[in-house]
Amino acid sequence: MERLYQGIHKFQSSHFKKEEELFRRLSTCQTPEVLITCADSRVAPNLVTQSRPGDLFIVRNVGNIIPPYDAIKDKNSVAAALEFAVLVLKVADIIVCGHSNCGAMKVLLHDEDGLNDMPHLKDWVYLAKPVKMHIEQYYAETAPDLKARITEKENILEQLRNIETYPFINDALRAGLIHLHGWYYDIGTGEIHYYNPETDKFESLL
Ligand SMILES: [Zn+2]
């Protein structure tokens, strides 16, 4: 905790003063893009995109999962965030960003019975069960490391499909008001690859 307290002191005594005008402006409005990413501490969206406060409306959860529209009937925090971002903030772009060495995807591939003492985690990651089924069907013989990378990328595509199950998202997409993007962040190299629907591959952003 000491490191965090020192950080707060440094922020208030140094960074905040330099950016005072930005923070004053942001106190009453925001025009961000939406980034849905994993809760993993190694994923630092503002750092890797070099963005500032006000630039990213970030939705984080274990495994960057967007529950399908009918999967959680109420108290769906991802849906609540998306409604606010799309219908109130009128965001133009929504990015689903997965990452390498994702613990949630490891859990998903894990033996189901091994998760019985973590019922909340099990229920949550199994929202992505179609990804597990796809991997088991097509990549059963693939080496573990490669299988993990493929799972992480397939999960991004699954969540991009899930987001379209929300009627208000679908309406905004049809009207051309929002655009969806899939990103894959590699923790070890710092690279981000984006999903190109035309080639059906993740390609370098640079
Ligand atoms: Zn993760």
Side-chain angles (χ1 to χ4, degrees):
M1 288 296 287
E2 192 53 39
R3 200 159 33 176
L4 299 184
Y5 295 139
Q6 286 173 3
I8 292 168
H9 179 71
K10 190 176 167 191
F11 167 70
Q12 290 177 347
S13 60
S14 169
H15 189 94
F16 185 86
K17 287 194 183 348
K18 279 187 214 150
E19 299 272 13
E20 222 165 344
E21 175 51 36
L22 170 70
F23 287 111
R24 194 177 301 117
R25 189 157 36 84
L26 288 176
S27 67
T28 54
C29 69
Q30 57 173 325
T31 52
E33 321 288 1
V34 173
L35 184 77
I36 300 162
T37 193
C38 188
D40 194 302
S41 69
R42 299 164 298 174
V43 177
N46 289 115
L47 182 66
V48 299
T49 59
Q50 292 288 285
S51 51
R52 304 205 295 172
D55 290 342
L56 287 176
F57 183 94
I58 304 173
V59 181
R60 302 189 78 143
N61 63 51
V62 174
N64 40 272
I65 287 169
I66 299 158
Y69 180 64
D70 289 328
I72 299 176
K73 294 296 179 195
D74 57 7
K75 299 183 179 61
N76 177 344
S77 69
V78 180
L82 288 172
E83 278 180 355
F84 184 73
V86 173
L87 301 179
V88 179
L89 298 180
K90 309 284 184 194
V91 299
D93 293 276
I94 299 176
I95 304 149
V96 176
C97 182
H99 68 98
S100 62
N101 302 93
C102 181
M105 292 302 103
K106 268 183 212 147
V107 165
L108 181 66
L109 290 182
H110 199 273
D111 170 27
E112 206 167 336
D113 293 338
L115 295 172
N116 287 341
D117 59 344
M118 295 182 276
H120 297 91
L121 181 60
K122 180 177 173 180
D123 278 358
W124 180 256
V125 295
Y126 269 75
L127 288 167
K129 193 169 183 179
V131 176
K132 181 185 175 87
M133 292 164 65
H134 179 82
I135 297 298
E136 284 175 351
Q137 186 174 358
Y138 295 104
Y139 299 96
E141 306 303 322
T142 304
D145 271 8
L146 180 58
K147 189 194 279 191
R149 301 296 84 78
I150 293 169
T151 304
E152 289 150 2
K153 289 175 179 170
E154 286 293 332
N155 182 53
I156 295 165
L157 303 184
E158 176 71 7
Q159 305 317 322
L160 287 171
R161 288 189 284 273
N162 284 350
I163 200 171
E164 291 194 42
T165 63
Y166 290 82
F168 69 95
I169 295 276
N170 210 278
D171 290 347
L173 281 170
R174 284 168 189 268
L177 298 174
I178 58 171
H179 299 92
L180 302 181
H181 311 268
W183 286 4
Y184 182 79
Y185 172 56
D186 188 312
I187 292 172
T189 67
E191 289 177 317
I192 291 183
H193 290 80
Y194 78 103
Y195 177 69
N196 182 346
E198 286 173 18
T199 60
D200 194 26
K201 284 187 169 63
F202 281 83
E203 299 175 4
S204 177
L205 259 178
L206 301 176

